[in-house]
Amino acid sequence: QDGLKQCLSEFKQELAWVERLDVTSGPVMDPVSQSAADKDAVDPENDFQREMSFYRQAQAAVLEALPRLRKLQVPTRRPDDYFAEMAKSDQQMQKIRQKLKSKQEAMERSEKAKQLRAMRKYGKKVQTEILQRRQKEKKNMLNAVKKYQKGLSDKLDFLDEEQTLSQGNKKGSASQRIKKGPNAKRRYKNQKFGFGGKKKGSKWNTKESFNDVSSFRSKVAHNKGLGKGGKGGKKALNKRPGKRARQKMKSRTR
C-alpha cells in the first residue's frame, strides 16, 4: 500500500478537474430499494450481479459528472455536423468488402450445388420408382400367364392391358417424333443436296400405273420388233437349234 501511494504521488499532477475528468463515485444506489447497495452483497462469481454493479456504478458517476460539466459550460452532446475520421483506411475496407463478396459467392455456389444434388436425388428416386413399377407389372403378367397355362384361370385380361400399354407407348413415341422433326444437320443436307425420296417400294404398281397403257407397244409385245429393222422375228423363232443343243436333247430322250 505504501509503494502504491508513493507511485501515485510521483505521477499525480495538480491540474483542474476539467483537464482530468476523474470521478470517484460513492456506494451504488439500488433503483428498487432506493438505498446504497452493499458491496459485500455482490457475489463476484455471479456474472449478472457483478456486471449490474459495474453498470450502476458507471451510471452514478455519469449523474455526478454531468452537472459539473454543465456548470463549467462544457458541451456533452455531439453536434449534428460532427465529422470523425474512420479508424480503418479505405484499402482495408476494400479488402474487407472483397472478402465478404467472396464469402457470399461461395455460399451461393454451395447453395446451387445443394440444389443440383437434391434434383439428382429426386431424378434417381423417380427412375427407381419407374423401374420398380415395370418389374412389378412384368411379374404380375408372368404370374397371370403361368396361371393360365396351368388352367387355374381362364381370363386373358393381361393381354389387353399389355396391348393398351404398347399402343400408348407407340403413340407417345410417334407424337414425340412428329414434334421433334429432323435435326439441324439433316435439314441443312436436305437443303444442300435435296431429298432422294422413298426408295423402298418405289417399283410397286398402283391403281394409276395399272390403268395407264400409254407406254404399251403392240409390236414389241407380239415379238415383231426382234432383229435388225424389225425383220427376222419369225426366222429367230423358227431357227434350228445348234449341235450341242441337239446332243442334249438326244441324251434326255435316251
Side-chain angles (χ1 to χ4, degrees), residues 1-201:
Q1 188 175 0
D2 295 337
L4 290 173
K5 288 181 178 180
Q6 183 180 358
C7 292
L8 180 62
S9 62
E10 288 178 358
F11 64 79
K12 186 176 181 181
Q13 295 179 359
E14 297 295 334
L15 298 174
W17 180 81
V18 71
E19 298 292 338
R20 294 181 286 111
L21 295 178
D22 55 344
V23 176
T24 304
S25 62
V28 180
M29 298 296 295
D30 191 357
V32 178
S33 61
Q34 295 295 330
S35 61
D38 189 4
K39 294 181 181 180
D40 297 334
V42 178
D43 185 9
E45 300 297 332
N46 192 340
D47 296 339
F48 180 75
Q49 291 183 2
R50 188 175 65 251
E51 293 297 328
M52 284 302 297
S53 66
F54 293 159
Y55 172 75
R56 294 197 195 103
Q57 190 173 3
Q59 188 177 12
V62 170
L63 292 175
E64 183 182 349
L66 278 176
R68 295 175 68 178
L69 290 172
R70 288 171 186 162
K71 188 176 180 180
L72 295 172
Q73 297 181 355
V74 176
T76 57
R77 290 184 177 274
R78 181 178 294 178
D80 297 334
D81 57 348
Y82 181 80
F83 177 77
E85 187 177 358
M86 293 182 63
K88 295 181 180 179
S89 62
D90 294 339
Q91 294 179 355
Q92 190 174 1
M93 293 300 296
Q94 191 70 20
K95 289 180 181 179
I96 294 171
R97 191 178 294 109
Q98 290 178 358
K99 192 172 182 179
L100 291 173
K101 188 177 179 182
S102 63
K103 284 185 179 180
Q104 187 177 2
E105 291 177 354
M107 290 175 66
E108 290 178 357
R109 286 196 298 269
S110 64
E111 190 68 23
K112 288 182 180 179
K114 287 180 182 178
Q115 291 178 0
L116 287 173
R117 285 196 293 269
M119 290 173 67
R120 287 174 183 171
K121 286 182 180 178
Y122 180 73
K124 288 181 179 179
K125 184 179 178 181
V126 171
Q127 189 176 6
T128 52
E129 287 179 355
I130 292 171
L131 291 175
Q132 289 176 359
R133 186 181 65 190
R134 289 179 180 174
Q135 290 176 359
K136 187 177 180 180
E137 291 175 355
K138 185 177 179 181
K139 187 177 180 181
N140 293 335
M141 188 184 69
L142 291 175
N143 292 333
V145 170
K146 288 180 181 178
K147 287 181 180 179
Y148 181 77
Q149 289 176 351
K150 291 179 181 179
L152 299 176
S153 175
D154 56 348
K155 295 181 181 180
L156 297 175
D157 298 337
F158 58 91
L159 295 177
D160 297 336
E161 293 177 0
E162 185 181 1
Q163 188 174 3
T164 53
L165 289 172
S166 62
Q167 288 178 359
N169 293 331
K170 286 181 180 178
K171 287 181 180 178
S173 60
S175 61
Q176 289 177 0
R177 286 197 297 272
I178 291 169
K179 289 180 181 178
K180 188 176 181 181
N183 55 11
K185 187 176 180 181
R186 183 70 270 165
R187 289 198 299 271
Y188 171 74
K189 287 191 174 182
N190 291 341
Q191 185 180 2
K192 185 176 180 182
F193 302 107
F195 181 67
K198 188 178 179 182
K199 300 294 188 298
K200 187 176 180 181

